[in-house]
Amino acid sequence: MASHDDAELWLVRHGETEWSRDGKHTSTTDLDLTENGVKVACTLKDRLADTKFDLVLSSPRHRARRTAELAGFTDVEIDEDLVEWDYGDYEGITTAEIRETVPDWTVWTHPTPGGETAEQVTERLDRVAAKIRAAGERVLVFGHGHSLRALTARWIEQPVDEGRFFKLDTSTISVLGYERDFPVVLRWNS
């Protein structure tokens, strides 16, 4: 296993879907990428081609697996813990629609009826972080907006709600690692 200073976690948010484009919360609904989502996800292949990964993980959702495939990673390990934050009753609707009945609602600060709690998200993403730290020098993960932001918060030893400070666009690459044994964000949303 690498020393902390060599360990890196590369995060890729899936390509654009109709719902991600339109701001609808998408956890369990398994959507295809849009035509633009495919086009932009294909650019990941060249951007990742010169980097060797010790382990490549993906959420089981089609949008994440398809993004991995378009990026040139056809043999990924599926990790159920990498699914998106479960939005429960808020699946398929926008924040603006939720705020019509729950003013100031965000996934970071309010409950999601029928969905996951911050504690449940923390528990499963802590399992992911432990697996990644044990896996080797460089790990690539294909996942989702809120769960990858929450994973980043956990990586840097913060509560999952601190993920609200990490805006994450579709088909972007972010890199986490260490500096002198402290977990840090090395590159974000590129």
Side-chain angles (χ1 to χ4, degrees), residues 1 8 14 41 45 49 67 85 123 132 184 187:
M1 184 174 150
E8 291 181 350
H14 65 76
K45 188 171 188 172
T67 301
W85 194 309
E123 186 176 310
I132 289 165
V184 296
R187 186 171 81 198

Side-chain angles (χ1 to χ4, degrees), residues 163-190:
R164 70 188 183 277
F165 295 112
F166 298 101
K167 180 184 185 297
L168 188 60
D169 296 328
T170 56
S171 293
T172 56
I173 300 169
S174 299
V175 184
L176 310 177
Y178 287 88
E179 180 187 38
R180 297 189 185 103
D181 294 323
F182 291 100
V184 296
V185 177
L186 298 172
R187 186 171 81 198
W188 192 258
N189 220 22
S190 61

Side-chain angles (χ1 to χ4, degrees), residues 150-168:
L151 177 58
T152 299
R154 297 306 297 149
W155 183 268
I156 61 172
E157 301 173 357
Q158 299 301 308
V160 292
D161 67 333
E162 297 296 304
R164 70 188 183 277
F165 295 112
F166 298 101
K167 180 184 185 297
L168 188 60

Side-chain angles (χ1 to χ4, degrees), residues 75-113:
D75 187 26
V76 299
E77 180 180 323
I78 301 301
D79 189 328
E80 293 288 335
D81 284 334
L82 284 170
V83 295
E84 180 60 292
W85 194 309
D86 187 341
Y87 302 120
D89 297 349
Y90 296 153
E91 181 78 3
I93 59 177
T94 67
T95 297
E97 291 169 321
I98 296 165
R99 287 180 174 176
E100 290 173 10
T101 55
V102 185
D104 301 323
W105 180 89
T106 76
V107 72
W108 309 109
T109 58
H110 289 71
T112 52

